[in-house]
PDB file of all heavy atoms in Angstrom:
ATOM      1  N   LYS S   1     104.138  69.170  96.597  1.00  0.00           N
ATOM      2  CA  LYS S   1     105.040  70.330  96.627  1.00  0.00           C
ATOM      3  C   LYS S   1     104.681  71.282  97.830  1.00  0.00           C
ATOM      4  O   LYS S   1     104.639  72.485  97.659  1.00  0.00           O
ATOM      5  CB  LYS S   1     105.087  71.135  95.249  1.00  0.00           C
ATOM      6  CG  LYS S   1     105.616  70.189  94.138  1.00  0.00           C
ATOM      7  CD  LYS S   1     105.513  71.064  92.801  1.00  0.00           C
ATOM      8  CE  LYS S   1     106.260  70.204  91.737  1.00  0.00           C
ATOM      9  NZ  LYS S   1     105.548  68.990  91.497  1.00  0.00           N
ATOM     10  N   THR S   2     104.377  70.593  98.933  1.00  0.00           N
ATOM     11  CA  THR S   2     104.053  71.375 100.164  1.00  0.00           C
ATOM     12  C   THR S   2     105.249  72.216 100.528  1.00  0.00           C
ATOM     13  O   THR S   2     105.085  73.372 101.176  1.00  0.00           O
ATOM     14  CB  THR S   2     103.702  70.458 101.258  1.00  0.00           C
ATOM     15  OG1 THR S   2     102.671  69.619 100.748  1.00  0.00           O
ATOM     16  CG2 THR S   2     103.233  71.213 102.581  1.00  0.00           C
ATOM     17  N   PHE S   3     106.501  71.785 100.302  1.00  0.00           N
ATOM     18  CA  PHE S   3     107.708  72.526 100.530  1.00  0.00           C
ATOM     19  C   PHE S   3     108.418  72.870  99.268  1.00  0.00           C
ATOM     20  O   PHE S   3     108.395  72.102  98.311  1.00  0.00           O
ATOM     21  CB  PHE S   3     108.689  71.656 101.541  1.00  0.00           C
ATOM     22  CG  PHE S   3     108.134  71.365 102.911  1.00  0.00           C
ATOM     23  CD1 PHE S   3     107.438  70.163 103.087  1.00  0.00           C
ATOM     24  CD2 PHE S   3     108.280  72.167 103.919  1.00  0.00           C
ATOM     25  CE1 PHE S   3     106.886  69.834 104.268  1.00  0.00           C
ATOM     26  CE2 PHE S   3     107.776  71.989 105.145  1.00  0.00           C
ATOM     27  CZ  PHE S   3     107.023  70.706 105.335  1.00  0.00           C
ATOM     28  N   ILE S   4     109.051  74.024  99.357  1.00  0.00           N
ATOM     29  CA  ILE S   4     109.839  74.468  98.189  1.00  0.00           C
ATOM     30  C   ILE S   4     111.316  74.870  98.589  1.00  0.00           C
ATOM     31  O   ILE S   4     111.509  75.048  99.863  1.00  0.00           O
ATOM     32  CB  ILE S   4     109.201  75.706  97.574  1.00  0.00           C
ATOM     33  CG1 ILE S   4     109.131  76.935  98.476  1.00  0.00           C
ATOM     34  CG2 ILE S   4     107.763  75.417  97.006  1.00  0.00           C
ATOM     35  CD1 ILE S   4     108.686  78.177  97.925  1.00  0.00           C
ATOM     36  N   GLU S   5     112.162  74.921  97.756  1.00  0.00           N
ATOM     37  CA  GLU S   5     113.475  75.349  98.029  1.00  0.00           C
ATOM     38  C   GLU S   5     113.664  76.649  97.284  1.00  0.00           C
ATOM     39  O   GLU S   5     113.470  76.706  95.992  1.00  0.00           O
ATOM     40  CB  GLU S   5     114.547  74.387  97.619  1.00  0.00           C
ATOM     41  CG  GLU S   5     115.934  74.854  97.921  1.00  0.00           C
ATOM     42  CD  GLU S   5     117.007  73.810  97.701  1.00  0.00           C
ATOM     43  OE1 GLU S   5     116.614  72.601  97.629  1.00  0.00           O
ATOM     44  OE2 GLU S   5     118.246  74.080  97.759  1.00  0.00           O
ATOM     45  N   HIS S   6     113.978  77.698  98.091  1.00  0.00           N
ATOM     46  CA  HIS S   6     114.171  79.029  97.389  1.00  0.00           C
ATOM     47  C   HIS S   6     115.393  79.693  98.026  1.00  0.00           C
ATOM     48  O   HIS S   6     115.538  79.748  99.172  1.00  0.00           O
ATOM     49  CB  HIS S   6     112.961  79.888  97.780  1.00  0.00           C
ATOM     50  CG  HIS S   6     112.858  81.176  96.931  1.00  0.00           C
ATOM     51  ND1 HIS S   6     113.364  82.398  97.435  1.00  0.00           N
ATOM     52  CD2 HIS S   6     112.425  81.480  95.670  1.00  0.00           C
ATOM     53  CE1 HIS S   6     113.230  83.331  96.449  1.00  0.00           C
ATOM     54  NE2 HIS S   6     112.658  82.874  95.464  1.00  0.00           N
ATOM     55  N   ALA S   7     116.213  80.120  97.052  1.00  0.00           N
ATOM     56  CA  ALA S   7     117.521  80.694  97.538  1.00  0.00           C
ATOM     57  C   ALA S   7     118.317  79.827  98.495  1.00  0.00           C
ATOM     58  O   ALA S   7     118.867  80.401  99.561  1.00  0.00           O
ATOM     59  CB  ALA S   7     117.246  82.111  98.199  1.00  0.00           C
ATOM     60  N   GLY S   8     118.225  78.555  98.305  1.00  0.00           N
ATOM     61  CA  GLY S   8     119.021  77.659  99.137  1.00  0.00           C
ATOM     62  C   GLY S   8     118.378  77.204 100.356  1.00  0.00           C
ATOM     63  O   GLY S   8     119.002  76.460 101.228  1.00  0.00           O
ATOM     64  N   ALA S   9     117.078  77.676 100.679  1.00  0.00           N
ATOM     65  CA  ALA S   9     116.455  77.315 101.967  1.00  0.00           C
ATOM     66  C   ALA S   9     115.143  76.561 101.647  1.00  0.00           C
ATOM     67  O   ALA S   9     114.330  76.991 100.826  1.00  0.00           O
ATOM     68  CB  ALA S   9     116.087  78.603 102.769  1.00  0.00           C
ATOM     69  N   VAL S  10     115.007  75.466 102.391  1.00  0.00           N
ATOM     70  CA  VAL S  10     113.783  74.676 102.235  1.00  0.00           C
ATOM     71  C   VAL S  10     112.791  75.320 103.176  1.00  0.00           C
ATOM     72  O   VAL S  10     113.027  75.697 104.327  1.00  0.00           O
ATOM     73  CB  VAL S  10     113.972  73.249 102.755  1.00  0.00           C
ATOM     74  CG1 VAL S  10     112.621  72.444 102.729  1.00  0.00           C
ATOM     75  CG2 VAL S  10     115.036  72.556 101.814  1.00  0.00           C
ATOM     76  N   GLN S  11     111.479  75.564 102.583  1.00  0.00           N
ATOM     77  CA  GLN S  11     110.545  76.273 103.343  1.00  0.00           C
ATOM     78  C   GLN S  11     109.116  75.982 102.871  1.00  0.00           C
ATOM     79  O   GLN S  11     108.906  75.348 101.857  1.00  0.00           O
ATOM     80  CB  GLN S  11     110.708  77.800 103.144  1.00  0.00           C
ATOM     81  CG  GLN S  11     110.883  78.253 101.693  1.00  0.00           C
ATOM     82  CD  GLN S  11     111.524  79.561 101.539  1.00  0.00           C
ATOM     83  OE1 GLN S  11     110.923  80.576 101.711  1.00  0.00           O
ATOM     84  NE2 GLN S  11     112.845  79.573 101.216  1.00  0.00           N
ATOM     85  N   PRO S  12     108.141  76.317 103.750  1.00  0.00           N
ATOM     86  CA  PRO S  12     106.721  76.099 103.246  1.00  0.00           C
ATOM     87  C   PRO S  12     106.440  76.728 102.012  1.00  0.00           C
ATOM     88  O   PRO S  12     106.786  77.921 101.821  1.00  0.00           O
ATOM     89  CB  PRO S  12     105.914  76.421 104.458  1.00  0.00           C
ATOM     90  CG  PRO S  12     106.878  76.424 105.633  1.00  0.00           C
ATOM     91  CD  PRO S  12     108.148  76.865 104.959  1.00  0.00           C
ATOM     92  N   ALA S  13     105.617  76.139 101.232  1.00  0.00           N
ATOM     93  CA  ALA S  13     105.147  76.761  99.943  1.00  0.00           C
ATOM     94  C   ALA S  13     103.993  77.852 100.316  1.00  0.00           C
ATOM     95  O   ALA S  13     103.365  77.655 101.337  1.00  0.00           O
ATOM     96  CB  ALA S  13     104.542  75.826  98.940  1.00  0.00           C
ATOM     97  N   PRO S  14     103.702  78.738  99.412  1.00  0.00           N
ATOM     98  CA  PRO S  14     102.631  79.633  99.760  1.00  0.00           C
ATOM     99  C   PRO S  14     101.330  78.881  99.861  1.00  0.00           C
ATOM    100  O   PRO S  14     101.148  77.942  99.157  1.00  0.00           O
ATOM    101  CB  PRO S  14     102.523  80.555  98.522  1.00  0.00           C
ATOM    102  CG  PRO S  14     104.016  80.623  98.019  1.00  0.00           C
ATOM    103  CD  PRO S  14     104.535  79.186  98.191  1.00  0.00           C
ATOM    104  N   ALA S  15     100.436  79.332 100.689  1.00  0.00           N
ATOM    105  CA  ALA S  15      99.162  78.751 101.033  1.00  0.00           C
ATOM    106  C   ALA S  15      98.215  79.809 101.427  1.00  0.00           C
ATOM    107  O   ALA S  15      98.501  80.814 101.913  1.00  0.00           O
ATOM    108  CB  ALA S  15      99.327  77.699 102.190  1.00  0.00           C
ATOM    109  N   PRO S  16      96.788  79.569 101.000  1.00  0.00           N
ATOM    110  CA  PRO S  16      96.360  78.504 100.342  1.00  0.00           C
ATOM    111  C   PRO S  16      96.670  78.639  98.778  1.00  0.00           C
ATOM    112  O   PRO S  16      97.305  79.453  98.337  1.00  0.00           O
ATOM    113  CB  PRO S  16      94.805  78.615 100.519  1.00  0.00           C
ATOM    114  CG  PRO S  16      94.720  80.135 100.675  1.00  0.00           C
ATOM    115  CD  PRO S  16      95.860  80.563 101.344  1.00  0.00           C
ATOM    116  N   ARG S  17      96.161  77.571  97.993  1.00  0.00           N
ATOM    117  CA  ARG S  17      96.559  77.552  96.626  1.00  0.00           C
ATOM    118  C   ARG S  17      95.437  77.969  95.627  1.00  0.00           C
ATOM    119  O   ARG S  17      94.248  77.885  95.960  1.00  0.00           O
ATOM    120  CB  ARG S  17      96.786  76.045  96.165  1.00  0.00           C
ATOM    121  CG  ARG S  17      97.960  75.471  97.082  1.00  0.00           C
ATOM    122  CD  ARG S  17      98.457  74.069  96.657  1.00  0.00           C
ATOM    123  NE  ARG S  17      99.328  73.611  97.628  1.00  0.00           N
ATOM    124  CZ  ARG S  17     100.236  72.550  97.394  1.00  0.00           C
ATOM    125  NH1 ARG S  17     100.083  71.940  96.152  1.00  0.00           N
ATOM    126  NH2 ARG S  17     100.960  72.108  98.164  1.00  0.00           N
ATOM    127  N   PHE S  18      95.666  78.666  94.571  1.00  0.00           N
ATOM    128  CA  PHE S  18      94.815  79.206  93.553  1.00  0.00           C
ATOM    129  C   PHE S  18      95.228  78.607  92.179  1.00  0.00           C
ATOM    130  O   PHE S  18      96.378  78.612  91.882  1.00  0.00           O
ATOM    131  CB  PHE S  18      94.966  80.720  93.545  1.00  0.00           C
ATOM    132  CG  PHE S  18      94.540  81.332  94.915  1.00  0.00           C
ATOM    133  CD1 PHE S  18      95.482  81.445  95.948  1.00  0.00           C
ATOM    134  CD2 PHE S  18      93.193  81.961  94.942  1.00  0.00           C
ATOM    135  CE1 PHE S  18      95.036  82.108  97.228  1.00  0.00           C
ATOM    136  CE2 PHE S  18      92.921  82.559  96.194  1.00  0.00           C
ATOM    137  CZ  PHE S  18      93.757  82.612  97.279  1.00  0.00           C
ATOM    138  N   ASP S  19      94.135  78.091  91.529  1.00  0.00           N
ATOM    139  CA  ASP S  19      94.480  77.396  90.282  1.00  0.00           C
ATOM    140  C   ASP S  19      94.754  78.458  89.156  1.00  0.00           C
ATOM    141  O   ASP S  19      95.451  78.133  88.219  1.00  0.00           O
ATOM    142  CB  ASP S  19      93.331  76.408  89.849  1.00  0.00           C
ATOM    143  CG  ASP S  19      92.021  77.213  89.593  1.00  0.00           C
ATOM    144  OD1 ASP S  19      91.816  78.401  89.925  1.00  0.00           O
ATOM    145  OD2 ASP S  19      91.181  76.518  89.014  1.00  0.00           O
ATOM    146  N   ARG S  20      94.146  79.576  89.162  1.00  0.00           N
ATOM    147  CA  ARG S  20      94.383  80.574  88.076  1.00  0.00           C
ATOM    148  C   ARG S  20      95.340  81.591  88.448  1.00  0.00           C
ATOM    149  O   ARG S  20      96.092  82.045  87.584  1.00  0.00           O
ATOM    150  CB  ARG S  20      93.041  81.129  87.695  1.00  0.00           C
ATOM    151  CG  ARG S  20      93.143  82.152  86.560  1.00  0.00           C
ATOM    152  CD  ARG S  20      91.685  82.510  86.121  1.00  0.00           C
ATOM    153  NE  ARG S  20      90.934  83.098  87.179  1.00  0.00           N
ATOM    154  CZ  ARG S  20      90.969  84.333  87.562  1.00  0.00           C
ATOM    155  NH1 ARG S  20      91.938  85.165  86.986  1.00  0.00           N
ATOM    156  NH2 ARG S  20      90.364  84.792  88.617  1.00  0.00           N
ATOM    157  N   THR S  21      95.557  82.066  89.654  1.00  0.00           N
ATOM    158  CA  THR S  21      96.520  83.091  90.069  1.00  0.00           C
ATOM    159  C   THR S  21      97.269  82.620  91.236  1.00  0.00           C
ATOM    160  O   THR S  21      97.096  83.107  92.379  1.00  0.00           O
ATOM    161  CB  THR S  21      95.693  84.320  90.499  1.00  0.00           C
ATOM    162  OG1 THR S  21      94.783  84.112  91.528  1.00  0.00           O
ATOM    163  CG2 THR S  21      94.955  85.046  89.285  1.00  0.00           C
ATOM    164  N   PRO S  22      98.100  81.623  91.032  1.00  0.00           N
ATOM    165  CA  PRO S  22      98.951  80.895  92.089  1.00  0.00           C
ATOM    166  C   PRO S  22      99.726  81.998  92.724  1.00  0.00           C
ATOM    167  O   PRO S  22     100.307  82.861  92.147  1.00  0.00           O
ATOM    168  CB  PRO S  22      99.591  79.860  91.417  1.00  0.00           C
ATOM    169  CG  PRO S  22      99.901  80.267  90.026  1.00  0.00           C
ATOM    170  CD  PRO S  22      98.561  81.065  89.680  1.00  0.00           C
ATOM    171  N   GLY S  23     100.070  81.739  94.119  1.00  0.00           N
ATOM    172  CA  GLY S  23     100.919  82.549  94.951  1.00  0.00           C
ATOM    173  C   GLY S  23     102.406  82.164  94.437  1.00  0.00           C
ATOM    174  O   GLY S  23     102.693  81.130  93.737  1.00  0.00           O
ATOM    175  N   ASN S  24     103.389  82.965  94.927  1.00  0.00           N
ATOM    176  CA  ASN S  24     104.693  82.649  94.544  1.00  0.00           C
ATOM    177  C   ASN S  24     105.609  83.439  95.465  1.00  0.00           C
ATOM    178  O   ASN S  24     105.370  84.447  96.107  1.00  0.00           O
ATOM    179  CB  ASN S  24     104.982  83.256  93.070  1.00  0.00           C
ATOM    180  CG  ASN S  24     106.345  82.971  92.622  1.00  0.00           C
ATOM    181  OD1 ASN S  24     106.884  81.841  92.804  1.00  0.00           O
ATOM    182  ND2 ASN S  24     107.014  83.851  91.857  1.00  0.00           N
ATOM    183  N   VAL S  25     106.878  82.892  95.844  1.00  0.00           N
ATOM    184  CA  VAL S  25     107.813  83.507  96.463  1.00  0.00           C
ATOM    185  C   VAL S  25     108.815  84.242  95.602  1.00  0.00           C
ATOM    186  O   VAL S  25     109.447  83.616  94.762  1.00  0.00           O
ATOM    187  CB  VAL S  25     108.702  82.556  97.344  1.00  0.00           C
ATOM    188  CG1 VAL S  25     109.776  83.287  98.155  1.00  0.00           C
ATOM    189  CG2 VAL S  25     107.817  81.771  98.307  1.00  0.00           C
ATOM    190  N   THR S  26     108.744  85.573  95.641  1.00  0.00           N
ATOM    191  CA  THR S  26     109.540  86.393  94.708  1.00  0.00           C
ATOM    192  C   THR S  26     110.971  86.783  95.127  1.00  0.00           C
ATOM    193  O   THR S  26     111.778  86.790  94.214  1.00  0.00           O
ATOM    194  CB  THR S  26     108.794  87.695  94.374  1.00  0.00           C
ATOM    195  OG1 THR S  26     108.563  88.372  95.654  1.00  0.00           O
ATOM    196  CG2 THR S  26     107.489  87.415  93.851  1.00  0.00           C
ATOM    197  N   LEU S  27     111.161  86.877  96.427  1.00  0.00           N
ATOM    198  CA  LEU S  27     112.472  87.335  96.843  1.00  0.00           C
ATOM    199  C   LEU S  27     112.871  86.475  98.053  1.00  0.00           C
ATOM    200  O   LEU S  27     111.973  86.289  98.928  1.00  0.00           O
ATOM    201  CB  LEU S  27     112.452  88.864  97.220  1.00  0.00           C
ATOM    202  CG  LEU S  27     112.270  89.901  96.032  1.00  0.00           C
ATOM    203  CD1 LEU S  27     112.081  91.250  96.786  1.00  0.00           C
ATOM    204  CD2 LEU S  27     113.551  89.885  95.274  1.00  0.00           C
ATOM    205  N   PRO S  28     114.099  86.341  98.313  1.00  0.00           N
ATOM    206  CA  PRO S  28     114.605  85.733  99.542  1.00  0.00           C
ATOM    207  C   PRO S  28     114.612  86.801 100.581  1.00  0.00           C
ATOM    208  O   PRO S  28     114.391  87.958 100.192  1.00  0.00           O
ATOM    209  CB  PRO S  28     116.044  85.270  99.232  1.00  0.00           C
ATOM    210  CG  PRO S  28     116.531  86.266  98.181  1.00  0.00           C
ATOM    211  CD  PRO S  28     115.288  86.484  97.316  1.00  0.00           C
ATOM    212  N   PRO S  29     114.805  86.478 101.929  1.00  0.00           N
ATOM    213  CA  PRO S  29     114.888  87.565 102.919  1.00  0.00           C
ATOM    214  C   PRO S  29     115.950  88.505 102.587  1.00  0.00           C
ATOM    215  O   PRO S  29     117.051  88.200 102.187  1.00  0.00           O
ATOM    216  CB  PRO S  29     115.178  86.640 104.133  1.00  0.00           C
ATOM    217  CG  PRO S  29     114.662  85.362 103.911  1.00  0.00           C
ATOM    218  CD  PRO S  29     114.904  85.210 102.427  1.00  0.00           C
ATOM    219  N   ARG S  30     115.543  89.791 102.602  1.00  0.00           N
ATOM    220  CA  ARG S  30     116.511  90.877 102.289  1.00  0.00           C
ATOM    221  C   ARG S  30     117.202  91.475 103.493  1.00  0.00           C
ATOM    222  O   ARG S  30     116.580  91.520 104.637  1.00  0.00           O
ATOM    223  CB  ARG S  30     115.767  92.013 101.590  1.00  0.00           C
ATOM    224  CG  ARG S  30     115.016  91.532 100.419  1.00  0.00           C
ATOM    225  CD  ARG S  30     115.896  91.222  99.152  1.00  0.00           C
ATOM    226  NE  ARG S  30     116.382  92.415  98.575  1.00  0.00           N
ATOM    227  CZ  ARG S  30     117.363  92.500  97.719  1.00  0.00           C
ATOM    228  NH1 ARG S  30     118.086  91.390  97.450  1.00  0.00           N
ATOM    229  NH2 ARG S  30     117.712  93.680  97.070  1.00  0.00           N
ATOM    230  N   ARG S  31     118.396  91.862 103.439  1.00  0.00           N
ATOM    231  CA  ARG S  31     119.102  92.589 104.500  1.00  0.00           C
ATOM    232  C   ARG S  31     118.309  93.893 104.696  1.00  0.00           C
ATOM    233  O   ARG S  31     117.837  94.493 103.834  1.00  0.00           O
ATOM    234  CB  ARG S  31     120.587  92.824 104.175  1.00  0.00           C
ATOM    235  CG  ARG S  31     121.387  91.576 104.082  1.00  0.00           C
ATOM    236  CD  ARG S  31     122.816  91.975 104.049  1.00  0.00           C
ATOM    237  NE  ARG S  31     123.715  90.892 103.967  1.00  0.00           N
ATOM    238  CZ  ARG S  31     125.104  90.853 103.961  1.00  0.00           C
ATOM    239  NH1 ARG S  31     125.618  92.040 104.006  1.00  0.00           N
ATOM    240  NH2 ARG S  31     125.843  89.804 103.867  1.00  0.00           N
ATOM    241  N   PRO S  32     118.376  94.361 106.048  1.00  0.00           N
ATOM    242  CA  PRO S  32     117.679  95.631 106.309  1.00  0.00           C
ATOM    243  C   PRO S  32     118.226  96.745 105.507  1.00  0.00           C
ATOM    244  O   PRO S  32     119.481  96.927 105.374  1.00  0.00           O
ATOM    245  CB  PRO S  32     117.974  95.763 107.757  1.00  0.00           C
ATOM    246  CG  PRO S  32     118.084  94.393 108.357  1.00  0.00           C
ATOM    247  CD  PRO S  32     118.782  93.680 107.278  1.00  0.00           C
ATOM    248  N   GLY S  33     117.384  97.443 104.838  1.00  0.00           N
ATOM    249  CA  GLY S  33     117.781  98.605 103.973  1.00  0.00           C
ATOM    250  C   GLY S  33     118.316  98.205 102.600  1.00  0.00           C
ATOM    251  O   GLY S  33     118.843  99.117 101.903  1.00  0.00           O
ATOM    252  N   ALA S  34     118.315  97.020 102.180  1.00  0.00           N
ATOM    253  CA  ALA S  34     118.952  96.552 100.973  1.00  0.00           C
ATOM    254  C   ALA S  34     118.253  97.372  99.842  1.00  0.00           C
ATOM    255  O   ALA S  34     118.944  97.514  98.680  1.00  0.00           O
ATOM    256  CB  ALA S  34     118.793  95.096 100.804  1.00  0.00           C
ATOM    257  N   ASP S  35     117.079  97.770  99.871  1.00  0.00           N
ATOM    258  CA  ASP S  35     116.307  98.268  98.766  1.00  0.00           C
ATOM    259  C   ASP S  35     115.990  99.743  99.069  1.00  0.00           C
ATOM    260  O   ASP S  35     115.025 100.232  98.363  1.00  0.00           O
ATOM    261  CB  ASP S  35     115.092  97.567  98.517  1.00  0.00           C
ATOM    262  CG  ASP S  35     115.445  96.024  98.336  1.00  0.00           C
ATOM    263  OD1 ASP S  35     116.041  95.575  97.371  1.00  0.00           O
ATOM    264  OD2 ASP S  35     115.031  95.227  99.238  1.00  0.00           O
ATOM    265  N   THR S  36     116.578 100.436 100.024  1.00  0.00           N
ATOM    266  CA  THR S  36     116.174 101.754 100.364  1.00  0.00           C
ATOM    267  C   THR S  36     116.095 102.759  99.067  1.00  0.00           C
ATOM    268  O   THR S  36     115.087 103.280  98.930  1.00  0.00           O
ATOM    269  CB  THR S  36     117.191 102.365 101.401  1.00  0.00           C
ATOM    270  OG1 THR S  36     117.091 101.485 102.580  1.00  0.00           O
ATOM    271  CG2 THR S  36     116.787 103.763 101.663  1.00  0.00           C
ATOM    272  N   ASP S  37     117.181 102.743  98.385  1.00  0.00           N
ATOM    273  CA  ASP S  37     117.180 103.678  97.258  1.00  0.00           C
ATOM    274  C   ASP S  37     116.165 103.367  96.221  1.00  0.00           C
ATOM    275  O   ASP S  37     115.384 104.351  95.683  1.00  0.00           O
ATOM    276  CB  ASP S  37     118.611 103.730  96.562  1.00  0.00           C
ATOM    277  CG  ASP S  37     119.704 104.379  97.469  1.00  0.00           C
ATOM    278  OD1 ASP S  37     119.364 104.714  98.564  1.00  0.00           O
ATOM    279  OD2 ASP S  37     120.812 104.575  96.914  1.00  0.00           O
ATOM    280  N   ALA S  38     115.973 102.201  95.856  1.00  0.00           N
ATOM    281  CA  ALA S  38     115.060 101.722  94.914  1.00  0.00           C
ATOM    282  C   ALA S  38     113.593 101.953  95.296  1.00  0.00           C
ATOM    283  O   ALA S  38     112.700 102.542  94.629  1.00  0.00           O
ATOM    284  CB  ALA S  38     115.166 100.212  94.513  1.00  0.00           C
ATOM    285  N   VAL S  39     113.262 101.695  96.631  1.00  0.00           N
ATOM    286  CA  VAL S  39     112.005 101.926  97.067  1.00  0.00           C
ATOM    287  C   VAL S  39     111.673 103.457  97.163  1.00  0.00           C
ATOM    288  O   VAL S  39     110.566 103.941  96.784  1.00  0.00           O
ATOM    289  CB  VAL S  39     111.793 101.361  98.450  1.00  0.00           C
ATOM    290  CG1 VAL S  39     110.500 101.884  99.240  1.00  0.00           C
ATOM    291  CG2 VAL S  39     111.863  99.804  98.498  1.00  0.00           C
ATOM    292  N   LEU S  40     112.547 104.301  97.542  1.00  0.00           N
ATOM    293  CA  LEU S  40     112.365 105.669  97.671  1.00  0.00           C
ATOM    294  C   LEU S  40     112.195 106.240  96.199  1.00  0.00           C
ATOM    295  O   LEU S  40     111.405 107.204  96.070  1.00  0.00           O
ATOM    296  CB  LEU S  40     113.378 106.412  98.467  1.00  0.00           C
ATOM    297  CG  LEU S  40     113.496 105.942  99.961  1.00  0.00           C
ATOM    298  CD1 LEU S  40     114.581 106.812 100.724  1.00  0.00           C
ATOM    299  CD2 LEU S  40     112.218 106.234 100.708  1.00  0.00           C
ATOM    300  N   ASP S  41     113.034 105.883  95.350  1.00  0.00           N
ATOM    301  CA  ASP S  41     112.984 106.284  94.007  1.00  0.00           C
ATOM    302  C   ASP S  41     111.548 106.014  93.420  1.00  0.00           C
ATOM    303  O   ASP S  41     111.000 106.876  92.816  1.00  0.00           O
ATOM    304  CB  ASP S  41     114.043 105.698  93.178  1.00  0.00           C
ATOM    305  CG  ASP S  41     114.029 106.124  91.677  1.00  0.00           C
ATOM    306  OD1 ASP S  41     114.333 107.232  91.431  1.00  0.00           O
ATOM    307  OD2 ASP S  41     113.650 105.270  90.888  1.00  0.00           O
TER     308      ASP S  41
END
């Protein structure tokens, strides 16, 4: 599972790998300023 598909895009998986606390892709690329209000709040 070297590559993953996230939000419709094939991309490299997080590296390196951890057996107990694995990495993860949480969000697709965001438009500039998409989270301004939430971040400032």
Side-chain angles (χ1 to χ4, degrees):
K1 295 181 173 59
T2 304
F3 296 90
I4 59 172
E5 184 171 344
H6 190 267
V10 175
Q11 53 200 277
R17 304 183 184 199
F18 296 78
D19 67 345
R20 186 171 54 81
T21 57
N24 186 38
V25 178
T26 56
L27 291 170
R30 305 286 284 166
R31 290 188 182 185
D35 309 289
T36 297
D37 287 6
V39 168
L40 296 184
D41 178 70

